[in-house]
């Protein structure tokens, strides 16, 4: 089985909690200010000069402003409820990745069961070198490579430059290839694997494939197995 590479609910929950707390605080402040305003208005009306009455238009204007603020706070509450619902639905959708085989952009794959594989795509035939790096960023294998135009798969059997066999783990591929004219040929790399779980602990949900984490945003295709 080929595994793949790198590419929220706790953060979403914290954000929603903070937003809800802010709205509740705004409501409390508005209510207190509104009660104070009505108290002052009542006192002024009771003590106004009958020959020089208070300007009712000004008070009406302030009442309208309070009403607008109250409507804005209510709108924020409704938006918070919508965001919470959307977040919940989105999380449920991500869970559906579990047990499926996904293909995603990325250069890191799992070496297991004697091999690690990467899918590549180049516009033209290209030749050059391939490097395989371990999770510490150290080069463990270097070799020559020939890529045919279009898509293909490169499989590494774990052989290292020291003549041994790599241990199980995550490895990253780097390609340095050129076309027949000697111009650098960009190669896009993809990896595939079966999703074991979904990690919502960060700001972006990650799909766990063995020991690897792949951001959902890197997924290009999903296949049921």
């Amino acid at each position: 089985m080929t595994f793949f590479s790198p590419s929220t609910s706790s953060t979403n929950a914290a954000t929603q909690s903070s937003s809800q707390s802010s709205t509740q605080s705004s409501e409390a402040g508005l209510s207190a200010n509104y009660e104070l305003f009505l108290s002052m208005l009542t006192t002024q009306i009771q003590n106004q000069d009958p020959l020089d009455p208070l300007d009712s238009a000004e008070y009406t204007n302030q009442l309208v402003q309070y009403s607008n603020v109250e409507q804005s706070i209510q709108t924020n509450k409704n938006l918070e409820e919508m965001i919470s619902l959307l977040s919940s639905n989105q999380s449920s959708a991500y869970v559906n990745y579990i047990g499926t085989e996904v293909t995603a952009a990325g250069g890191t794959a799992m070496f297991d069961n004697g091999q690690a594989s990467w899918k590549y795509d180049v516009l033209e035939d290209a030749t050059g070198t391939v490097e395989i790096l371990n999770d510490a960023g150290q080069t463990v294998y270097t070799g020559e490579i020939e890529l045919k135009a279009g898509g293909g798969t490169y499989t590494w059997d774990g052989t290292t430059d020291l003549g041994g066999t790599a241990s199980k783990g995550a490895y990253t591929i780097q390609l340095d290839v050129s076309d027949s004219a000697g111009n650098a040929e960009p190669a896009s790399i993809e990896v595939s694997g079966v999703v074991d779980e979904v990690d919502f602990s960060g700001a972006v949900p990650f799909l766990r494939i063995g020991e690897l984490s792949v951001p959902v945003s890197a997924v290009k295709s999903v296949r049921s197995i």
Side-chain angles (χ1 to χ4, degrees), residues 4 40 67 79 83 87 89 108-109 179 183 187 221:
F4 78 92
M40 292 176 62
S67 177
L79 287 174
I83 291 173
S87 177
N89 290 340
T108 302
D179 60 21
N183 299 314
S221 66

Side-chain angles (χ1 to χ4, degrees), residues 22-53:
S22 176
T23 299
Q24 292 170 354
S25 177
S26 297
E27 285 184 305
L30 178 65
S31 178
N33 289 334
Y34 189 62
E35 292 298 329
L36 177 61
F37 170 75
L38 290 179
S39 177
M40 292 176 62
L41 175 61
T42 301
T43 301
Q44 286 182 312
I45 291 176
Q46 291 174 342
N47 295 280
Q48 68 178 325
D49 183 353
L51 300 178
D52 185 20

Side-chain angles (χ1 to χ4, degrees), residues 122-135:
V122 290
L123 295 177
E124 300 181 28
D125 290 349
T127 59
T129 59
V130 54
E131 284 187 280
I132 306 296
L133 290 70
N134 60 21
D135 57 5

Side-chain angles (χ1 to χ4, degrees), residues 80-149:
E80 287 166 4
E81 293 175 359
M82 291 177 61
I83 291 173
S84 178
L85 180 60
L86 289 173
S87 177
S88 176
N89 290 340
Q90 194 172 49
S91 296
S92 298
Y94 291 148
V95 170
N96 291 330
Y97 279 112
I98 296 176
T100 64
E101 182 180 61
V102 298
T103 297
T108 302
M110 179 65 69
F111 175 70
D112 193 14
N113 297 323
Q115 70 174 31
S117 298
W118 296 264
K119 295 180 180 179
Y120 66 83
D121 186 77
V122 290
L123 295 177
E124 300 181 28
D125 290 349
T127 59
T129 59
V130 54
E131 284 187 280
I132 306 296
L133 290 70
N134 60 21
D135 57 5
Q138 301 169 325
T139 300
V140 297
Y141 173 77
T142 305
E144 301 296 319
I145 190 172
E146 294 185 6
L147 306 179
K148 295 296 183 181

Side-chain angles (χ1 to χ4, degrees), residues 134-201:
N134 60 21
D135 57 5
Q138 301 169 325
T139 300
V140 297
Y141 173 77
T142 305
E144 301 296 319
I145 190 172
E146 294 185 6
L147 306 179
K148 295 296 183 181
T153 300
Y154 177 80
T155 301
W156 175 53
D157 62 5
T159 300
T160 68
D161 289 339
L162 298 178
T165 300
S167 58
K168 177 182 176 180
Y171 292 85
T172 301
I173 189 173
Q174 291 185 350
L175 298 176
D176 182 9
V177 294
S178 303
D179 60 21
S180 58
N183 299 314
E185 180 66 25
S188 61
I189 305 295
E190 297 178 350
V191 286
S192 300
V194 177
V195 178
D196 300 317
E197 62 178 301
V198 183
D199 182 3
F200 293 106
S201 62

